[in-house]
């Protein structure tokens, strides 16, 4: 049976708190040195102040129409990065209604003890001041981490912008912190650029099919309390098979089972698996490629603001994927134990019996 957070702590299992999946740092990486990064900055409160999504039509793809603030960031503030830091190039900028992605290249080591965080901090401050300058209405309330009226984020003197009451802390545009990914592998840059170019389409799909991208925190499946993301109606389809490959299977036995499992998908049934063993991954991957219905049981839960990636995203949008986890999300790196593998397989078998 899955443990609650309190039970895990009582059992001596280390539990790491995760407030937000947009604050990841790489403790092993030296951010003073040259490198290539994809950065993500999120607007405070996820307010869509940077633009609005235009849904796709017969003649046009989904795209983001930038607000005046979004235009100022795209045409002015992003350009200032290379003006202040000659060793940095902004290769790609993607502005969404409530967040920003950018790919930046640091061509040489940063001087005078500067690092990537200093660059991001300056950019965020410039965007906040552009927001103040363009704002014409009083904010609904003081945002967390506000900047004192009369000073910029760096402490320099500034007048209170029009539209904001004097004597109050001024709100900042972005949430504190940011997410970064470091370019390490061949093909990773192409994946980043594709992801940024595809972002408006993905947002449009999420808005068209919100139920398929909503995390349900508490769904009872037998004795398990599970999180789910995707099409929960797949649980109600009676034709389901458990994709579990035992190490004792011969090549012929595996081939026979694989044909049986894929035949279930071909007749619009559902393949259910945890994809732990290599051959299990192979079957589930082929089922995904063929467009079959899949229920994937995950060892890890779902972080805040989770959304499936790659082919899983498209499978979710088409209603042919459900992801289930009996455990809360964690950021620990560990090898899954045999006990957990057996538990996941038992959950897989249980799911196949649901009607």
């Amino acid at each position: 049976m899955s443990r609650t957070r309190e039970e895990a702590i009582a059992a001596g299992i280390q539990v790491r708190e995760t407030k937000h999946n947009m604050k990841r740092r790489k403790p092993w990486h030296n951010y003073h040195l040259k490198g290539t990064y994809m950065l993500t900055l999120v607007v405070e409160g996820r307010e869509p102040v940077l633009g609005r999504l235009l849904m796709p039509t017969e003649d046009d793809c989904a795209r983001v129409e930038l607000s005046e603030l979004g235009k100022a960031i795209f045409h002015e503030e992003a350009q200032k990065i290379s003006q202040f830091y000659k060793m940095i190039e902004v290769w790609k900028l993607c502005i969404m209604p409530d967040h920003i992605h950018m790919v930046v290249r640091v061509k040489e080591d940063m001087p005078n003890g500067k690092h990537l965080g200093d660059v991001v901090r300056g950019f965020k401050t410039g965007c906040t001041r552009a927001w103040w300058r363009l704002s014409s209405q009083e904010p609904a309330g003081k945002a967390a981490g506000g900047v004192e009226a009369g000073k910029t984020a760096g402490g320099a003197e500034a007048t209170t912008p029009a539209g904001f009451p004097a004597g109050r802390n001024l709100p900042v545009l972005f949430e504190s912190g940011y997410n970064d990914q470091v370019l390490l592998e061949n093909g990773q840059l192409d994946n980043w650029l594709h992801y940024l170019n595809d972002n408006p389409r993905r947002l449009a799909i999420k808005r068209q099919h919100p139920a398929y991208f909503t995390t349900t925190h508490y769904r009872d499946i037998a004795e398990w309390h599970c999180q789910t993301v995707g099409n929960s109606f797949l649980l109600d389809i009676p034709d389901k098979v458990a994709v579990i490959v035992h190490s004792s299977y011969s090549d012929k036995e595996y081939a026979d089972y694989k044909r049986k499992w894929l035949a279930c998908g071909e007749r619009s049934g559902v393949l259910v698996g945890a994809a732990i063993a290599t051959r299990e991954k192979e079957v589930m991957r082929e089922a995904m490629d063929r467009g079959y219905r899949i229920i994937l049981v995950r060892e890890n839960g779902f972080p805040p603001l989770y959304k499936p990636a790659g082919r899983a995203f498209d499978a979710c949008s088409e209603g042919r994927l459900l992801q289930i986890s009996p455990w809360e999300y964690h950021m620990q790196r560990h090898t899954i134990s045999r006990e957990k593998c057996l538990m996941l397989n038992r959950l897989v078998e249980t799911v196949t019996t649901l009607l």
Side-chain angles (χ1 to χ4, degrees):
M1 184 174 183
S2 61
R3 293 186 173 99
T4 66
R5 178 181 181 278
E6 291 73 19
E7 290 171 339
I9 293 174
I13 299 174
Q14 183 180 2
V15 177
R16 181 178 297 180
E17 297 288 346
T18 303
K19 294 183 178 180
H20 200 300
N21 70 327
M22 291 295 185
K23 306 296 189 295
R24 294 174 184 164
R25 297 273 76 75
K26 310 297 184 295
W28 43 264
H29 184 73
N30 188 339
Y31 289 93
H32 299 270
L33 305 182
K34 62 183 180 181
T36 303
Y37 307 87
M38 184 170 78
L39 311 175
T40 302
L41 290 70
V42 179
V43 173
E44 183 71 52
R46 309 281 310 190
E47 292 293 330
V49 297
L50 305 181
R52 66 187 183 98
L53 179 70
L54 299 181
M55 299 298 283
T57 65
E58 292 184 0
D59 301 322
D60 199 5
C61 300
R63 62 187 178 88
V64 174
E65 182 180 67
L66 296 181
S67 65
E68 290 304 311
L69 174 59
K71 293 176 183 176
I73 291 174
F74 188 91
H75 295 291
E76 300 172 23
E77 299 306 324
Q79 311 307 317
K80 292 178 183 177
I81 293 177
S82 296
Q83 294 175 15
F84 286 101
Y85 296 93
K86 303 296 185 182
M87 76 292 300
I88 296 181
E89 293 178 346
V90 178
W91 279 359
K92 180 72 176 179
L93 179 62
C94 172
I95 300 181
M96 300 298 289
D98 61 3
H99 65 278
I100 290 177
H101 298 294
M102 67 171 73
V103 176
V104 300
R105 170 65 175 167
V106 182
K107 297 180 291 184
E108 56 188 69
D109 296 353
M110 304 274 290
N112 304 321
K114 296 289 185 180
H115 55 80
L116 184 65
D118 296 317
V119 178
V120 175
R121 186 180 304 111
F123 173 71
K124 291 171 71 174
T125 299
C127 294
T128 292
R129 296 187 69 181
W131 179 44
W132 291 349
R133 186 176 66 251
L134 293 168
S135 294
S136 59
Q137 296 180 350
E138 179 176 335
K142 183 178 69 174
V147 179
E148 182 181 350
K151 294 183 179 180
T152 67
E157 293 300 322
T159 59
T160 300
F164 293 92
R168 290 180 55 186
N169 279 9
L170 298 175
V172 293
L173 178 60
F174 293 107
E175 292 181 354
S176 62
Y178 62 96
N179 169 269
D180 72 74
Q181 297 183 46
V182 185
L183 183 64
L184 298 173
E185 302 172 359
N186 293 332
Q188 191 176 2
L189 179 60
D190 289 338
N191 291 338
W192 287 353
L193 298 177
H194 173 74
Y195 176 80
L196 268 58
N197 289 330
D198 198 38
N199 237 7
R201 182 190 71 89
R202 291 164 59 89
L203 178 58
I205 290 174
K206 287 187 67 176
R207 291 188 177 177
Q208 290 169 333
H209 306 282
Y212 295 159
F213 295 92
T214 302
T215 302
T216 302
H217 290 284
Y218 300 101
R219 185 182 181 98
D220 291 328
I221 300 176
E223 74 263 35
W224 289 281
H225 239 21
C226 295
Q227 291 182 304
T228 68
V229 171
N231 185 4
S232 294
F233 291 106
L234 296 181
L235 293 170
D236 301 328
I237 295 176
D239 189 8
K240 297 191 287 287
V241 293
V243 179
I244 300 175
V245 180
H246 297 289
S247 58
S248 60
Y249 284 173
S250 66
D251 290 345
K252 182 181 182 305
E253 288 175 318
Y254 166 66
D256 290 341
Y257 275 113
K258 181 179 179 181
R259 280 193 294 270
K260 171 187 171 184
W261 294 328
L262 294 176
C264 176
E266 186 65 29
R267 62 177 182 262
S268 299
V270 183
L271 282 71
V272 186
I276 300 171
T278 300
R279 284 179 163 179
E280 292 170 357
K281 291 183 174 70
E282 178 183 297
V283 174
M284 300 299 276
R285 190 180 301 115
E286 186 166 342
M288 178 74 76
D289 291 341
R290 293 188 182 190
Y292 295 162
R293 293 167 167 173
I294 292 173
I295 296 177
L296 179 64
V297 177
R298 293 166 46 116
E299 180 273 332
N300 203 354
F302 306 99
L305 306 179
Y306 169 78
K307 58 183 176 183
R311 291 176 301 170
F313 181 93
D314 292 327
C316 260
S317 70
E318 295 164 4
R320 55 185 177 87
L321 175 64
L322 174 67
Q323 299 182 67
I324 299 174
S325 179
W327 295 299
E328 296 291 327
Y329 176 72
H330 62 79
M331 294 184 66
Q332 296 171 319
R333 292 183 177 274
H334 62 260
T335 302
I336 185 171
S337 66
R338 183 174 184 276
E339 178 187 4
K340 278 196 169 184
C341 289
L342 294 175
M343 186 180 297
L344 291 175
N345 284 339
R346 189 155 57 88
L347 176 55
V348 166
E349 292 173 334
T350 300
V351 167
T352 62
T353 64
L354 297 178
L355 297 176

